[in-house]
Amino acid sequence: MMAFDKISAVIVEDERAAREALKSYISKYCPQVVVTGEAQDIREAVPLLHDTQPQLVFLDVEMPFGNAFDVLEACKDLQFETIFVTAFSEYSLRALNQSAAYYLLKPISIEELILAVNKVQHQIRNQEILNRNKIILDNFREPKPEKQQVILPTLEGFEVVRMEDIVRLRGNGNFTDLYLTDGNRKMVCRFLKHFSEILPLPFLRIHKSHIVNLHFVKSYNKGGFLTLHDGAEIEVSPTYKEAFLKHFR
């Protein structure tokens, strides 16, 4: 850590105006961050990151000559936290959320910037060992969604599981209970809605309180209940019934 608990950072962004705006916001609202370098594309970013070895990288998702994932691949021997900067994209947001990554949507909100930097600062101070960059890269390389990993924030810290190991999810107030193939249950510090937005098929919401992995559906009866391979019986509510049944026609 730098003197006075400062965080060394690099900005990788292809638009000069966006770089200058972000640098100005950081200087004004995130004084714990010192910007030690800037790059406008992957060709400049990779050698800069290796030379400066920052603790934090503000990384634009889409750039000329390569994207953020190409930068991470070329710098996988380095250890740094990443705050992604992106225009809205359902695909990129789903991928980042699955990996519990920090990201900012363009145009950048000052409040969101402060929040993301504070979270990164907490990670660095506590020397937390979760390598989000590696998980993001692994997921990006894996074409089968069920083989991808998802990071689960828990009361004790975090867990990393493969999506194919999740049988079902049940809303539990401010938390979500995940039931896994090994019989374990994990209480996760996220609303069920969070998972309905980031988990792709074969995960399907069938009730306001339940999401199931369709690969584990054993049977369905006309009374409106399905049975999973782990023996759980869950109601399919009328709101979700049609979407559920079409996957088995």
Side-chain angles (χ1 to χ4, degrees):
M1 185 71 69
M2 295 175 65
F4 308 110
D5 204 29
K6 297 289 187 179
I7 299 170
S8 60
V10 163
I11 297 173
V12 181
E13 161 67 60
D14 66 310
E15 296 178 9
R16 181 175 179 179
R19 289 199 306 275
E20 292 299 323
L22 178 55
K23 189 163 62 171
S24 175
Y25 288 162
I26 292 169
S27 174
K28 187 172 183 179
Y29 300 105
C30 303
Q32 69 272 48
V33 176
V34 177
V35 177
T36 59
E38 302 173 39
Q40 64 179 347
D41 56 41
I42 185 173
R43 296 180 302 184
E44 292 182 3
V46 173
L48 176 63
L49 294 181
H50 279 91
D51 287 344
T52 60
Q53 300 201 13
Q55 296 164 293
L56 170 62
V57 177
F58 292 90
L59 185 56
D60 192 10
V61 172
E62 294 296 336
M63 296 173 289
F65 313 111
N67 58 29
F69 306 107
D70 297 319
V71 173
L72 294 184
E73 177 67 40
C75 298
K76 60 186 178 184
D77 56 319
L78 303 179
Q79 288 286 339
F80 55 82
E81 294 288 341
T82 306
I83 296 178
F84 295 88
V85 183
T86 179
F88 179 79
S89 160
E90 183 177 349
Y91 171 77
S92 62
L93 291 187
R94 173 176 282 180
L96 296 177
N97 275 316
Q98 286 169 358
S99 305
Y102 307 121
Y103 63 85
L104 302 170
L105 289 177
K106 296 180 180 180
I108 292 174
S109 156
I110 293 170
E111 291 78 11
E112 292 298 319
L113 170 64
I114 294 170
L115 183 62
V117 168
N118 285 343
K119 287 180 178 178
V120 166
Q121 185 177 33
H122 176 80
Q123 295 282 118
I124 294 173
R125 276 180 176 168
N126 290 279
Q127 298 182 325
E128 296 187 11
I129 60 172
L130 176 59
N131 191 338
R132 287 178 176 81
N133 291 344
K134 180 181 183 304
I135 294 170
I136 290 168
L137 269 179
D138 289 345
N139 284 348
F140 184 70
R141 294 192 199 104
E142 176 53 66
K144 295 180 179 179
E146 67 271 19
K147 298 287 186 183
Q148 294 176 358
Q149 302 169 85
V150 59
I151 297 176
L152 309 174
T154 66
L155 292 172
E156 295 78 28
F158 62 87
E159 300 245 2
V160 182
V161 303
R162 291 197 180 278
M163 294 187 204
E164 64 183 347
D165 294 328
I166 302 172
V167 178
R168 59 190 174 100
L169 306 91
R170 178 175 67 89
N172 182 8
N174 293 338
F175 301 90
T176 297
D177 293 327
L178 269 76
Y179 295 81
L180 306 178
T181 52
D182 62 6
N184 283 326
R185 175 171 65 94
K186 305 292 182 184
M187 180 181 284
V188 182
C189 304
R190 289 288 185 272
F191 290 106
L192 188 67
K193 182 177 184 291
H194 169 78
F195 292 102
S196 69
E197 293 172 348
I198 72 166
L199 292 178
L201 284 171
F203 292 93
L204 190 70
R205 194 161 190 166
I206 60 164
H207 187 276
K208 67 178 182 179
S209 300
H210 296 281
I211 295 172
V212 300
N213 184 336
L214 296 177
H215 289 166
F216 294 104
V217 173
K218 183 177 180 181
S219 63
Y220 171 77
N221 64 48
K222 292 183 179 179
F225 285 82
L226 62 78
T227 302
L228 298 175
H229 284 286
D230 66 357
E233 264 199 349
I234 303 172
E235 179 186 3
V236 180
S237 72
T239 304
Y240 301 98
K241 181 178 178 181
E242 183 61 29
F244 168 74
L245 291 176
K246 80 174 186 179
H247 288 283
F248 294 92
R249 287 178 182 145

